[in-house]
Amino acid sequence: MEIEGTIKLIDETKTYGSKGFRKREVVITTDEQYPQHILVEFIQDKTDLLNDFKPGQPVKISINLRGREWTNPQGETKYFNSIQGWRIESLQQQDGSGEMPPVPPMEAFEPAEDLKEEDYDDLPF
């Protein structure tokens, strides 16, 4: 699955437990009639994917939906959902993106005056 939107917030990487579990969260604001603020978490080595991004930047994030079950000490079962990102791409145009350069105005060109009639007759039909 993928979601698109503008980065609202990028949190710092946080480390948990003795094994060094890492997690970093980003909030994306969708661009629709009723914008949604979606929290996406990146874990372990994927936390570094957010290093080159900034708030206000339009992005597309590839995500997985995760769900888990937990039973508290009183025996009640609870369910939790999370959205985990595994790829993030900028939606802004990059320099050298393959777009044609702008064409200079007509006044920048000199008219060709040395053309002969036979120059126009080079078509094979």
Side-chain angles (χ1 to χ4, degrees):
M1 297 178 78
E2 296 176 338
I3 58 171
E4 291 185 11
T6 303
I7 296 175
K8 181 174 184 166
L9 168 81
I10 299 177
D11 203 2
E12 296 297 319
T13 301
K14 296 183 177 139
T15 305
Y16 302 93
S18 61
K19 295 183 181 180
F21 177 80
R22 296 186 313 150
K23 180 168 97 168
R24 191 170 186 189
E25 297 175 333
V26 60
V27 176
I28 302 298
T29 302
T30 61
D31 183 26
E32 49 196 1
Q33 183 177 359
Y34 300 104
Q36 302 296 307
H37 305 287
I38 309 291
L39 177 76
V40 180
E41 57 186 33
F42 286 76
I43 62 170
Q44 299 299 72
D45 61 328
K46 301 296 183 191
T47 60
D48 296 334
L49 295 176
L50 298 173
N51 290 344
D52 296 331
F53 293 90
K54 297 180 176 82
Q57 192 171 1
V59 293
K60 175 170 63 172
I61 300 179
S62 298
I63 60 168
N64 290 324
L65 297 177
R66 298 284 184 219
R68 66 183 184 280
E69 181 179 89
W70 176 70
T71 305
N72 68 16
Q74 292 78 29
E76 300 171 320
T77 302
K78 304 222 180 225
Y79 296 91
F80 297 92
N81 298 318
S82 62
I83 302 171
Q84 285 186 356
W86 54 274
R87 180 173 55 201
I88 182 168
E89 303 172 53
S90 176
L91 293 178
Q92 290 177 333
Q93 293 294 332
Q94 303 289 330
D95 288 338
S97 63
E99 289 185 21
M100 295 291 292
V103 177
M106 189 71 141
E107 297 81 39
F109 296 97
E110 293 182 24
E113 298 175 9
D114 61 346
L115 292 177
K116 301 179 194 101
E117 184 66 34
E118 58 268 10
D119 290 342
Y120 291 106
D121 195 21
D122 62 351
L123 297 176
F125 49 88

